[in-house]
Amino acid sequence: MYYNLREVESINILFFLTPKAEVAYLGCNDSLRQALTKMEQHKYSSIPVLNEDGEYTGTVTEGDMLWYLLHSEIGKSDEQLDELPLEAVPRRNNYAPVNASSNMEDLLNKIMQQNYVPVVDDCDCFIGIVKRRDVIQYYYDKT
């Protein structure tokens, strides 16, 4: 079944939102060890990073951390991982967010490239994510 563009554009992206309260995220001042622990607890392969004001600053992935550890000069002791700030880890991909008022076409363009799309409000504060799985499930259920 094919959808016409009007039907796609009429869907509000907030219909798919998993709110911030239900999403694990990291603070930009968290340590690498805290990031690894949280990702393991929640079984995430990537996780949003927020600053002190709740603004989305990017996403860090398992791959980002593993490549950083592989190429870094530091040892891998627990103490060193506790002291290493997450912001020191370079990110290989840009998980660009969408604004809560964005249209469905903008969301679909991003979600084809990443497992989830961060959603921000007009002040760039993180309000949640839209998961690729939820969007696919919606269209699957419609067919």
Side-chain angles (χ1 to χ4, degrees):
M1 174 178 222
Y2 293 97
Y3 296 94
N4 67 41
L5 193 54
R6 277 199 188 112
E7 183 177 347
V8 169
E9 289 179 350
S10 68
I11 301 169
N12 185 325
I13 69 166
L14 296 180
F15 172 77
F16 300 104
L17 185 73
T18 300
K20 179 181 178 180
E22 297 175 21
V23 176
Y25 55 87
L26 297 165
C28 60
N29 293 324
D30 287 349
S31 71
L32 185 56
R33 181 184 170 95
Q34 289 170 310
L36 290 167
T37 300
K38 189 171 277 193
M39 289 176 77
E40 180 182 30
Q41 287 172 341
H42 294 279
K43 298 180 179 20
Y44 286 0
S45 60
S46 60
I47 191 166
V49 181
L50 312 181
N51 68 15
E52 303 82 24
D53 297 324
E55 297 169 333
Y56 173 75
T57 63
T59 292
V60 68
T61 68
E62 288 175 330
D64 295 336
M65 291 185 274
L66 291 171
W67 286 114
Y68 178 74
L69 289 171
L70 180 67
H71 296 294
S72 71
E73 302 278 330
I74 67 163
K76 309 312 186 261
S77 73
D78 287 348
E79 295 80 25
Q80 288 172 313
L81 292 177
D82 281 333
E83 294 172 8
L84 186 66
L86 185 59
E87 62 187 15
V89 177
R91 297 178 192 149
R92 296 174 58 193
N93 294 317
N94 178 21
Y95 279 64
V98 294
N99 187 282
S101 62
S102 293
N103 63 37
M104 194 65 185
E105 188 175 0
D106 292 339
L107 175 67
L108 290 174
N109 285 330
K110 287 184 175 52
I111 210 148
M112 286 190 295
Q113 305 301 318
Q114 50 201 61
N115 291 334
Y116 68 87
V117 176
V119 181
V120 297
D121 65 13
D122 290 336
C123 297
D124 289 327
C125 286
F126 178 78
I127 62 170
I129 62 172
V130 173
K131 295 179 246 176
R132 182 189 298 163
R133 173 185 37 176
D134 293 342
V135 174
I136 291 171
Q137 186 67 54
Y138 172 80
Y139 285 109
Y140 177 79
D141 291 346
K142 297 274 284 179
T143 59

